[in-house]
Amino acid sequence: MSRPPVPLPAEHIPPGTAEWRTPNAERWLAAAPARWAHPLWTLPALVASLVWDIAEAPVAPCTSTAPCGTDWLGLGMAVVSLLTLYWVWRQPRLALAGLAATLTGFAVEGGFTSALGEPSALAFLMAVAFTTAGLIHRLAAAGRQRARALEAAGPVAQPLPAAARTFRRGRLSFVLAALLLGVAGFGCWQVQQVVDAYEERAAGATRLSGRVTALEQDDDIDIVTVEADGRTHRFETAYPEDFPVGSRADIVVDGDWAALVAEPYDAIGWELLAVAGSVAGLAFLANGVDGRRRSQRLRREPLPVLHVLVREGHDDGRTWVFAADDPEGLRPILHFHSLYAFEEEKEDEDGGDAAVVELDRITEILKGEDPPPPLREAVLYGVPHAGAEVAFVAFDDEDDVEVSVQCSVTAVKPVGPRSTGHGQRRHERENPQRPRDEIAADMTPSTGPRTWTAHGLSRAVGLGLLLVQGGGIWAALEDGPSWHWLWLVVGLPWLVTVVATALTWRITADRDGLWVTGAWRVRRVPWSVITSVRHSDDGIRIGRAEDSSVELSPTGWAWLERHLGREPHAARTVEELRALLLHPELRPLEEAPAGRQGMPVGPPLVVVSALWGVAVLLLL
């Protein structure tokens, strides 16, 4: 039987605070953005169409009249485009502005005209339209959720607790933004230094016209040879197609220094640094400004309050909010990450003890010894909707004598609409406190052994890592004996282990215990020594008394499964194993034969890897 929620004394609940009950919560969830508008669907379409359009766009040749120098406008558009892709996920309003700027650049380059005859340009416009519709839908849904949250809260409004009013957001983002924008500025300065050095040298150099006599490659670097004024000059080039053998090429010569007029210098490294620093710095800056603005709005005036239940996620530290009439914590409504807020004086007074307690807690989590967090009564301050900032007051556990105040540090996210039973069951199973009796009720006793094995997504992860492994072996061996072979010694054993586990992990339950098939062996774990079964970090851990735990990892990709609207297969496996552990009457009556116990594929995979390495050496 699950523990009742940790109560919140009446003196900490503002008078007139409304309970956020299941009917109102269901109406709020029904207003959440639809699945088609989720960035998981719109963003890949936008990225794929953008890459396709860039790949298909004609590249203007480098000529003496139009040399390929630094294109500051193009670099700026690259920064805007990359930021827009990030903002589609995090900042819908900024993403709309970024898409508008991208379309403006697209129009200037003649993209709308080319869209009539080029499939890539048309696909890009369609992806932009789809993404824009998704962004507008998400903003409209947030507005509807805000209205329904206000309706549920009623007319009561209260100021934030004193500790929450001193909480500040965005400091780390501003620091990182300053550092990264400084890096971007340094990159721009270095680019300009390269440009200025070339122009200064070229101004006093002699300009000659020569004939291209050869094109060759040296360590994958294209080299163009030009004969001019009786001398032979060799230049690196990024566009060898612009210099066919026999064509004319203009160069500038100053003593032993010479350069192609069409490709005067190479500053691509500094340009990439400037772009990367600008994108990352502006992203952090936007996050900091947005977080600071939202937290200031939260402190500005009295806020609606709702009486709810909260629980901290056991694996990811997220705060999950439940309806006040859901004492079992079966149906989460929304989630966010939060941090404790302290009043200035109290923080100085108790900061040392709090740090020690937090360090002990982190140690317990890393060891897997921390108890499941309790469900707690809380008062939620703010108007919850997708993208909102909120704060709440609650006891951490039943032994506390003072309430804690926590403020969100990530935007509120609804768990998704409850329109189907499948979605509801999926979110219930994400909850680590789902009653074990309910899980057991879904299971029927069986005579023969029960088996859980790698499913489609787990095998897809394994195949993807197998391709990485094959490519890594090729890359390490293609240049012959070198220090790159150390990568094989260090990384290959780990990679073979995770590939073999993801492809063929298997757990078989029989009368006496579990057969656990990993990458290298099959282990027997009797029921009598099993102390716990957990799903964490895309792995399954089976705790054993007076012995190390048995682990399988990876067993899938839970994050992607949840975002695709599916129940994580490994999480369901763990739930059913727990039910068998706690309900002996559900365990199989027979012992598993050898054919049902599984077979590790780590050793065969080592042989395959070795044969692949030999083949690579023979082919190169």
Side-chain angles (χ1 to χ4, degrees), residues 14-18 146 149-150 153-161 164-165 294-306 379-385 388-392 406-407:
T17 299
R146 179 181 176 85
L150 287 171
V156 176
Q158 295 288 330
L160 274 178
R165 289 197 295 272
R294 291 180 184 276
S295 63
Q296 288 175 347
R297 187 164 55 192
L298 200 64
R299 300 192 303 268
R300 191 176 301 153
E301 55 190 16
L303 300 167
V305 287
L306 288 166
V379 174
L380 191 69
Y381 288 80
V383 186
H385 61 270
E389 296 276 334
V390 294
F392 68 92
Q406 295 187 49
C407 296

Side-chain angles (χ1 to χ4, degrees), residues 256-521:
D256 294 332
W257 176 86
L260 285 167
V261 175
E263 289 186 51
Y265 51 82
D266 180 12
I268 186 64
W270 296 117
E271 291 171 352
L272 290 176
L273 179 66
V275 169
S278 298
V279 170
L282 291 173
F284 277 113
L285 180 63
N287 288 345
V289 171
D290 181 68
R292 181 63 57 87
R293 180 179 60 84
R294 291 180 184 276
S295 63
Q296 288 175 347
R297 187 164 55 192
L298 200 64
R299 300 192 303 268
R300 191 176 301 153
E301 55 190 16
L303 300 167
V305 287
L306 288 166
H307 188 191
V308 297
L309 300 176
V310 299
R311 176 188 284 132
E312 184 176 329
H314 197 221
D315 297 326
D316 55 16
R318 285 182 291 184
T319 298
W320 295 82
V321 176
F322 303 83
D325 58 349
D326 184 14
E328 299 291 336
L330 300 180
R331 294 171 292 275
I333 305 169
L334 56 90
H335 61 86
F336 52 85
H337 285 91
S338 61
L339 289 177
Y340 288 96
F342 302 96
E343 296 184 50
E344 301 280 344
E345 313 79 44
K346 187 170 181 180
E347 185 178 11
D348 295 338
E349 202 172 290
D350 301 335
D353 294 339
V356 172
V357 171
E358 189 67 17
L359 182 60
D360 291 342
R361 183 169 174 237
I362 291 173
T363 303
E364 289 179 347
I365 291 174
L366 292 176
K367 291 181 178 180
E369 301 171 352
D370 59 315
L375 195 65
R376 304 168 283 158
E377 288 188 5
V379 174
L380 191 69
Y381 288 80
V383 186
H385 61 270
E389 296 276 334
V390 294
F392 68 92
V393 174
F395 279 121
D396 284 341
D397 56 53
E398 59 269 17
D399 298 327
D400 281 350
V401 295
E402 293 187 7
V403 296
S404 64
V405 179
Q406 295 187 49
C407 296
S408 61
V409 292
T410 58
V412 165
K413 293 183 180 180
V415 296
R418 302 282 182 176
S419 56
T420 66
H422 173 75
Q424 180 167 329
R425 289 192 298 272
R426 176 173 62 87
H427 289 296
E428 289 174 7
R429 287 164 185 162
E430 283 184 32
N431 179 5
Q433 293 296 307
R434 187 186 178 205
R436 298 182 180 93
D437 292 339
E438 180 181 341
I439 302 168
D442 294 337
M443 301 176 63
T444 57
S446 66
T447 302
R450 292 177 180 266
T451 299
W452 300 265
T453 187
H455 61 309
L457 188 57
S458 179
R459 293 192 178 104
V461 170
L463 289 174
L465 292 173
L466 185 61
L467 292 176
V468 172
Q469 176 183 322
I473 292 174
W474 183 289
L477 299 180
E478 67 174 344
D479 292 329
S482 70
W483 68 268
H484 293 103
W485 288 25
L486 292 176
W487 178 90
L488 298 178
V489 177
V490 175
L492 197 56
W494 172 84
L495 201 51
V496 169
T497 300
V498 297
V499 167
T501 302
L503 287 174
T504 60
W505 68 266
R506 185 186 186 96
I507 299 176
T508 301
D510 64 9
R511 178 187 60 197
D512 299 321
L514 301 177
W515 295 95
V516 183
T517 304
W520 303 104
R521 58 180 174 144

Side-chain angles (χ1 to χ4, degrees), residues 75-148:
L75 293 178
M77 287 305 302
V79 170
V80 171
S81 298
L82 292 172
L83 277 173
T84 300
L85 296 177
Y86 170 72
W87 285 336
V88 166
W89 191 276
R90 291 291 303 273
Q91 305 279 0
R93 287 184 174 84
L94 290 177
L96 288 173
L99 286 176
T102 302
L103 284 178
T104 301
F106 187 74
V108 170
E109 295 293 331
F112 288 103
T113 303
S114 63
L116 299 176
E118 296 182 11
S120 60
L122 183 60
F124 174 67
L125 289 178
M126 293 175 63
V128 169
F130 177 52
T131 304
T132 302
L135 294 170
I136 294 173
H137 174 77
R138 288 162 59 188
L139 293 173
R144 290 193 298 270
Q145 286 189 317
R146 179 181 176 85
R148 294 184 182 183

